Amino acid sequence: MEFTRPRGTRDFLFDEMRQRKKAEGTLRNVFESYGYQEIKTPLFEELSLFTTKSGEEIVDQLYNFKDKSDRDLTLRPEITAPVARLYLNELEKTAVKPIKLYYYGSCFRYERPQKGRFRQFWQFGCELIGAKTPQGEAEVIALCSDAIQSLGITTADVNINHLGIIRGLFKHFDISQETQREIMVVIDKGDKDLLIESLSGDAPVIDNDELNQILLKLIDLVGDKSIITEVEELIAPYDEPKESLEELKELIALLEAFQVENYTLNLGVARGLDYYTGIVFEIYVPQLGAQKQICGGGSYSLVKVFGGQEVESTGFALGFDRLMNAIEELTEQEELPSHLDVYVAPISKDVRKKAFEITQLLRENQIKTDVDLNGKKFKKLMNYADKIKVPKIIIVGEKDLAEGKVTVKDMISGNQDQIEIDNLTDYLKEE
């Protein structure tokens, strides 16, 4: 019987895992430098958590199941909803705001696997809960930009919009929530032809040509802060979206204070879910082609949807797998060093026990150490050490041991030193 991994999943071998752990560590350092602390949520949650957030139609994309007590559960498809649930359960009444938390973990979606899209994937993200906007939004965008650049990805472009502008227009023209939702889903897809058909085709979703023409012009605006003038001209006759435009202008000024320069104003960036109401942003790496989006984020009112008190929330999720693709595509790949600091090589059966004692001594002192467990001949030991690129090998022989010493060979220079076992740890740490 042959066993293979499930469709849409991957195995990661040693070098790839080390690259992923390196990137993970880099991101953790950046997030924590901004004052964020890590949390973990369960891999599975109640199904209703996600249908309440995204609607019943999401069930087709989920790995949902009934447990042995007939409860409806699902593997999490994302982590924002679990964080909101965690906040309501654990933090709403006790935590001092603002709350800065970050997470890293795998998610699951039952979708057709394709390049850059898997059924099990990883997200690295954060939530800022209870910070005033737009300053909170500016800091979150700065964190996201810094995190990506820390990985050596220098071509990322932060595309920013304020959904309050569009929603203000909807309010002015008295557009129903159902129709708003339908249009926002189309905008969110980024399909320009579908949007034109939806707004100006034979059967437009919105029965108001004035609004349709404004939306088509507005969503086409992409550029630097100079496009603000065009936005102002478009919405000049309408009061409802003006406050949101002022918030967007304030955010732009704050981004300069946070030293964020790699941004584009893009009035076509949207979210298809009602609880996104303020600033939204997406980050693109153009070199990745169709899979260029590596991050999505914004401000939202999800806690209120789940029955909690209204609280300002801003967050984002980085697609960790696409980040790794970007690192591979855009950065110079350095040869990974050995996973070991030293390799202990006993050259006879009689010294093997002492070799194990030396190995444990080094491990206890946080020196990454391995030892021959197969009784290899000396030549094979040296070949193996060379193959795994270990920088130093400790040769344990009877003659050296009689003097309380071992031989340390530098595998790069070829130099050898006899070192007293009592001084071995200090010697290796000084090197």
Side-chain angles (χ1 to χ4, degrees):
M1 185 175 183
E2 183 180 357
F3 295 98
T4 59
R5 64 177 184 264
R7 189 164 184 254
T9 64
R10 291 156 293 164
D11 295 315
F12 300 112
L13 292 178
F14 309 121
D15 284 354
E16 192 169 4
M17 274 307 303
R18 290 170 66 202
Q19 295 282 16
R20 290 173 73 92
K21 292 291 285 186
K22 179 182 177 183
E24 178 188 339
T26 299
L27 292 176
R28 287 183 192 280
N29 288 339
V30 176
F31 277 62
E32 290 173 11
S33 76
Y34 274 72
Y36 283 73
Q37 299 181 81
E38 186 175 14
I39 55 97
K40 286 284 186 187
T41 65
L43 281 174
F44 59 90
E45 298 269 3
E46 292 183 359
L47 177 62
S48 59
L49 183 70
F50 299 100
T51 55
T52 299
K53 172 181 178 285
S54 303
E56 293 291 336
E57 60 272 16
I58 196 177
V59 173
D60 290 340
Q61 303 172 31
L62 301 181
Y63 277 94
N64 59 299
F65 56 94
K66 286 185 179 291
D67 70 4
K68 293 181 179 180
S69 295
D70 206 36
R71 288 173 289 230
D72 286 312
L73 303 174
T74 184
L75 298 180
R76 63 188 185 194
E78 45 87 12
I79 306 182
T80 301
V83 168
R85 191 265 311 145
L86 176 148
Y87 169 78
L88 283 168
N89 292 167
E90 311 288 348
L91 299 172
E92 183 178 36
K93 296 179 181 178
T94 59
V96 178
K97 297 182 180 64
I99 303 166
K100 291 183 169 184
L101 56 87
Y102 78 91
Y103 56 81
Y104 173 64
S106 56
C107 303
F108 305 84
R109 283 183 182 260
Y110 191 79
E111 297 179 318
R112 184 173 66 86
Q114 52 187 293
K115 183 180 179 181
R117 190 182 295 274
F118 302 94
R119 288 178 172 174
Q120 181 184 12
F121 55 95
W122 277 259
Q123 287 187 346
F124 204 121
C126 73
E127 307 295 339
L128 174 62
I129 302 172
K132 296 296 182 183
T133 57
Q135 52 263 39
E137 294 163 332
E139 189 188 67
V140 167
I141 292 172
L143 165 59
C144 191
S145 177
D146 283 354
I148 292 170
Q149 292 190 41
S150 73
L151 298 173
I153 302 169
T154 59
T155 59
D157 181 24
V158 185
N159 283 243
I160 303 170
N161 188 17
H162 194 310
L163 292 185
I165 298 170
I166 294 177
R167 294 199 185 280
L169 289 168
F170 286 152
K171 182 178 180 180
H172 178 86
F173 287 95
D174 196 25
I175 304 302
S176 70
Q177 284 296 117
E178 183 178 349
T179 302
Q180 288 187 40
R181 191 175 299 117
E182 188 174 349
I183 285 297
M184 294 302 281
V185 168
V186 174
I187 297 172
D188 190 20
K189 289 181 178 178
D191 187 331
K192 187 70 178 295
D193 293 335
L194 178 61
L195 180 62
I196 293 172
E197 178 64 27
S198 299
L199 293 177
S200 59
D202 294 335
V205 174
I206 297 176
D207 188 21
N208 187 306
D209 189 58
E210 180 182 355
L211 175 58
N212 288 341
Q213 294 308 309
I214 294 169
L215 289 176
L216 286 171
K217 292 176 182 176
L218 191 68
I219 290 162
D220 214 25
L221 291 176
V222 180
D224 60 23
K225 60 185 178 182
S226 65
I227 70 168
I228 290 292
T229 302
E230 296 178 68
V231 179
E232 288 176 325
E233 292 172 356
L234 273 174
I235 68 171
Y238 319 106
D239 291 335
E240 291 85 348
K242 290 180 179 177
E243 182 179 350
S244 296
L245 179 58
E246 290 305 310
E247 290 178 359
L248 180 59
K249 290 161 70 174
E250 186 176 352
L251 174 74
I252 293 168
L254 289 167
L255 288 177
E256 293 178 4
F258 279 102
Q259 301 178 1
V260 178
E261 299 177 350
N262 58 325
Y263 71 88
T264 298
L265 298 183
N266 184 343
L267 278 291
V269 172
R271 290 288 181 273
L273 298 166
D274 294 344
Y275 56 81
Y276 280 99
T277 56
I279 293 292
V280 291
F281 60 94
E282 295 176 350
I283 300 188
Y284 308 135
V285 176
Q287 292 86 346
L288 296 182
Q291 308 300 325
K292 68 178 181 178
Q293 185 179 337
I294 61 172
C295 177
S299 294
Y300 59 87
S301 300
L302 186 56
V303 170
K304 187 177 180 181
V305 173
F306 290 156
Q309 296 296 314
E310 182 73 64
V311 61
E312 300 95 342
S313 301
T314 305
F316 64 84
L318 293 161
F320 190 77
D321 304 283
R322 291 190 184 178
L323 278 181
M324 296 308 301
N325 291 343
I327 291 171
E328 184 177 354
E329 185 79 22
L330 301 175
T331 66
E332 188 173 336
Q333 296 298 296
E334 298 178 2
E335 185 176 352
L336 288 171
S338 174
H339 63 292
L340 297 172
D341 295 321
V342 296
Y343 183 71
V344 179
I347 61 175
S348 71
K349 182 178 179 180
D350 294 336
V351 300
R352 200 167 294 157
K353 183 178 178 182
K354 188 62 179 180
F356 297 155
E357 292 175 4
I358 292 169
T359 298
Q360 289 306 104
L361 171 68
L362 298 180
R363 288 169 175 169
E364 288 165 6
N365 283 276
Q366 289 75 54
I367 296 172
K368 292 180 285 188
T369 309
D370 203 358
V371 62
D372 173 47
L373 298 173
N374 289 340
K376 293 186 179 78
K377 299 292 185 181
F378 182 70
K379 184 177 180 180
K380 288 188 176 181
L381 287 173
M382 297 300 291
N383 288 340
Y384 176 75
D386 188 56
K387 187 174 182 180
I388 63 173
K389 298 183 175 65
V390 67
K392 287 183 172 57
I393 184 169
I394 297 174
I395 303 168
V396 183
E398 291 182 62
K399 184 178 178 181
D400 286 345
L401 285 182
E403 299 176 4
K405 298 178 180 179
V406 292
T407 297
V408 179
K409 179 174 181 177
D410 187 310
M411 295 297 287
I412 298 172
S413 67
N415 295 334
Q416 294 187 176
D417 292 309
Q418 282 191 319
I419 307 297
E420 291 185 2
I421 295 173
D422 290 344
N423 298 329
L424 183 58
T425 297
D426 290 339
Y427 172 83
L428 292 171
K429 286 189 173 184
E430 288 171 2
E431 286 292 296

